[in-house]
Amino acid sequence: MHKLILPLVTAALLASTAWAMAAGELTYVVNNESAKYDPGTTAETFAAPIIGNTFEGLVRFDKAGEIVPALAEKWEVSEDGLTYTFHLRDAKWSDGKPVVAGDFVYAWTRVLDPATGAMNSAMLYPIVGAEEHYNAAGKGDISVSAPDDKTLTFTLKARVPYMMQLLTYTTFFPVREDVVAADPEGWTRNPATFIGTGPFRVTEFNAGESVVFEKNPNYYDAAAVSLDKLTFRLIPDPATALAAMEAGDVDGIEAVPAPEIPRLSVESDAFMVVPALGTTYAFFNPAQKPLDDVRVRKALSMAIDREEIVEFVLQSADIPAMGVVPPGMIVDGQEFTEGRDTFGLAPTAEVEGAKALLAEAGYPDGKGFPDTVFVTYSSPPIEKLLEAIQQMWKKNLNIDVKIQASEWQVFYPEVQKVQYQIAQMGWGADYPHPMTFLDNFVTGSPNNLAGWSNAEYDADIAAAKATGDEAESLKDMRAAEAIMMNEHIILPQYHRNNYMMMSPKVTGFWRSTLNVPYFRDAQITE
């Protein structure tokens, strides 16, 4: 049911809509403008649409979420899973110069120089010598080399089962030394120097207004690119963007206002729901009464109606969550969540079972239930969500839980100290692999905000990382999730989606679960 991209099949396109696209030209609305388009140093989500269409690395994801060749046409991994060797195709930069393996060596070494200010340097730390190089202010040997212009090799300190997924990140993209050295601060803001390796190249940067692209004739697979011109138009207000979409002035918008989701899901076949590889949940603190009893934690989780939350509180097409890992994570060709246990939970409230557990824990019909506070960060939609959960607990368990909201700057430090009973949080994927969620619950992880520790869980995660067999890794990760979920350390609420629109005349467009819209294969049909 859940695909990498899940369009809502809707009734009919509004008959009055006249799509504005000309042949080979497409206009897409973005709501935010990034301050930085340097693929090696930025961590800004808002830069992803530009970088994702102008740069490629060794490998890329296809629409089905599979790793496919990009600048590398083939590769080998040593039997111990530590040494990777990539063989580059005859690719060119957008100005026509050849892409060479040394471009990757330069780019990765640059990321590992603290003076560069790269935000995701740690993503390269699995490589032998990388972390030491960074800590030595950009000095020391790194196990990355280019034996010749067509060969790139590197060695890891330990096996990383999701290394290929990491290589799709912008941090691992090549940049050209002559271009960067000539204008270190401004090269990504000038179309003449914003030299990339992707299917499009920038022709205009119009600050506060738009970014305009043209097909990159030097792209290695230029024959597959149909669009001649692509414009990203900046409209900060989603309501204004929607008005432009419905007037036919633009062909796609990256977000729609939440109140319009129910209407658009019925009226427009341009409306799309894109899974966001994110899960919204709350932490239970197992060191605080009454949450120190797993029966209480499970009862609280069983007593909420996730379908009601999605349909009537959020008024969205988000997915009720019974686990921490969201749909869309593929390991060994399998959807991680396929056939997963529900851990005693259901999309709707399991009232009788929840009441029985609470009575078992010593609180029959809620009697004697201690004062309990559910803390959250100040956010009207989240506070509305928590009020709905509060009412469900009152109705189904006859308990009163207080909600306490504070600004993020106050809320988060307290949660990090694990000084709460129940705390609203959540997680969005850093890379498209279950480990981006599961790694957060190992003993001592800075993101383990419940302070929970389980030796069996830690062992399963370690085993999942150590094996070279993806089927075994999948088995170990599923076992680990089951341990954590059966302990009910979190209160899973829903798996998040992005809500956008794209003209039904556009085929081949897709938006990844990591929030990158891809126009490489987009075509306009009549």
Side-chain angles (χ1 to χ4, degrees):
M1 175 181 174
H2 307 307
K3 305 289 187 183
L4 188 67
I5 290 190
L6 178 66
L8 266 188
V9 179
T10 52
L13 177 65
L14 292 176
S16 61
T17 303
W19 302 105
M21 62 184 66
E25 296 186 12
L26 191 150
T27 300
Y28 178 72
V29 171
V30 295
N31 302 125
N32 296 279
E33 187 174 37
S34 176
K36 201 172 190 181
Y37 297 124
D38 186 326
T41 63
T42 189
E44 291 189 24
T45 303
F46 306 144
I50 285 81
I51 297 173
N53 287 282
T54 54
F55 279 83
E56 283 186 6
L58 294 166
V59 292
R60 64 181 179 87
F61 286 112
D62 65 10
K63 188 175 181 178
E66 299 293 331
I67 296 287
V68 296
L71 297 180
E73 59 184 356
K74 59 183 180 179
W75 54 88
E76 300 97 35
V77 182
S78 62
E79 191 173 340
D80 62 7
L82 299 180
T83 300
Y84 287 67
T85 303
F86 288 85
H87 304 279
L88 305 189
R89 66 172 79 243
D90 290 327
K92 295 180 179 179
W93 291 90
S94 54
D95 65 353
K97 291 188 177 181
V99 175
V100 297
D103 294 329
F104 286 91
V105 177
Y106 165 72
W108 295 6
T109 304
R110 173 176 175 257
V111 167
L112 290 167
D113 183 349
T116 308
M119 300 299 293
N120 286 319
S121 301
M123 294 184 84
L124 281 88
Y125 284 3
I127 298 173
V128 171
E131 186 172 4
E132 292 80 1
H133 183 92
Y134 185 88
N135 291 335
K139 297 176 182 178
D141 294 333
I142 313 168
S143 184
V144 178
S145 63
D148 57 60
D149 283 350
K150 294 294 183 184
T151 309
L152 178 74
T153 183
F154 61 89
T155 301
L156 305 179
K157 293 182 285 190
R159 188 191 300 271
V160 179
Y162 42 89
M163 191 68 218
M164 295 301 294
Q165 282 93 333
L166 287 178
L167 291 174
T168 66
Y169 254 63
T170 69
T171 304
F172 292 90
F173 289 178
V175 294
R176 240 189 29 227
E177 185 171 10
D178 62 318
V179 173
V180 177
D183 189 3
E185 297 301 318
W187 72 277
T188 68
R189 284 295 186 177
N190 181 352
T193 57
F194 193 54
I195 309 299
T197 55
F200 297 95
R201 61 186 183 190
V202 173
T203 57
E204 299 176 34
F205 279 118
N206 302 308
E209 295 180 6
S210 65
V211 179
V212 182
F213 311 79
E214 66 180 2
K215 177 179 176 177
N216 174 11
N218 293 308
Y219 181 55
Y220 66 85
D221 199 12
V225 182
S226 295
L227 296 180
D228 298 314
K229 182 180 179 180
L230 174 64
T231 301
F232 287 175
R233 183 174 161 191
L234 177 65
I235 302 179
D237 179 23
T240 304
L242 177 59
M245 180 77 187
E246 295 193 310
D249 295 333
V250 299
D251 309 307
I253 58 177
E254 73 171 2
V256 299
E260 297 290 343
I261 291 173
R263 175 180 72 83
L264 292 170
S265 68
V266 173
E267 293 181 353
S268 174
D269 57 5
F271 179 70
M272 295 175 66
V273 181
V274 184
L277 287 189
T279 303
T280 297
Y281 54 82
F283 278 107
F284 290 129
N285 184 349
Q288 293 272 347
K289 287 187 176 296
L291 292 316
D292 56 343
D293 189 325
V294 68
R295 295 170 297 186
V296 171
R297 300 195 296 267
K298 186 174 182 179
L300 291 174
S301 198
M302 290 175 71
I304 70 169
D305 189 323
R306 293 165 174 83
E307 280 189 359
E308 183 177 326
I309 286 170
V310 167
E311 293 178 21
F312 299 106
V313 180
L314 303 176
Q315 293 185 300
S316 71
D318 293 328
I319 302 164
M322 273 77 76
V324 67
V325 178
M329 299 285 198
I330 309 298
V331 179
D332 193 38
Q334 296 185 53
E335 161 63 58
F336 183 88
T337 61
E338 191 69 36
R340 176 172 63 185
D341 184 24
T342 59
F343 315 113
L345 309 179
T348 55
E350 297 285 289
V351 179
E352 293 309 312
K355 281 183 173 179
L357 276 174
L358 202 64
E360 243 183 74
Y363 310 110
D365 196 32
K367 291 183 177 66
F369 195 78
D371 290 343
T372 303
V373 179
F374 196 156
V375 297
T376 183
Y377 50 95
S378 298
S379 162
I382 291 297
E383 289 171 58
K384 181 180 176 185
L385 164 67
L386 266 55
E387 286 166 5
I389 292 174
Q390 179 188 50
Q391 290 165 12
M392 291 172 187
W393 284 338
K394 178 62 176 176
K395 175 185 175 184
N396 297 333
L397 298 176
N398 193 34
I399 61 173
D400 295 297
V401 174
K402 181 183 176 183
I403 296 171
Q404 180 179 300
S406 55
E407 293 304 315
W408 178 264
Q409 294 86 349
V410 175
F411 164 80
Y412 190 53
E414 293 304 305
V415 174
Q416 286 178 303
K417 296 173 190 172
V418 199
Q419 294 182 353
Y420 64 85
Q421 289 169 295
I422 311 173
Q424 181 70 7
M425 285 295 293
W427 190 259
D430 289 331
Y431 48 93
H433 189 279
M435 197 61 77
T436 191
F437 288 86
L438 300 175
D439 222 5
N440 293 338
F441 295 91
V442 298
T443 302
S445 165
N447 297 309
N448 186 349
L449 300 179
W452 178 69
S453 179
N454 183 290
E456 189 179 352
Y457 181 92
D458 294 349
D460 280 336
I461 293 298
K465 291 179 177 180
T467 181
D469 184 329
E470 280 208 316
E472 282 298 313
S473 185
L474 175 61
K475 181 181 175 183
D476 289 331
M477 287 188 292
R478 283 174 167 167
E481 185 190 41
I483 291 168
M484 189 273 292
M485 287 305 308
N486 282 320
E487 284 287 312
H488 296 277
I489 298 305
I490 64 169
L491 171 72
Q493 295 159 4
Y494 59 94
H495 301 303
R496 301 191 291 266
N497 290 312
N498 287 317
Y499 303 93
M500 63 167 292
M501 297 179 79
M502 181 58 70
S503 164
K505 291 186 177 182
V506 177
T507 62
F509 164 83
W510 66 287
R511 179 170 168 178
S512 79
T513 51
L514 300 176
N515 210 31
V516 183
Y518 289 105
F519 293 89
R520 176 191 186 274
D521 300 317
Q523 298 183 42
I524 299 168
T525 59
E526 293 303 322

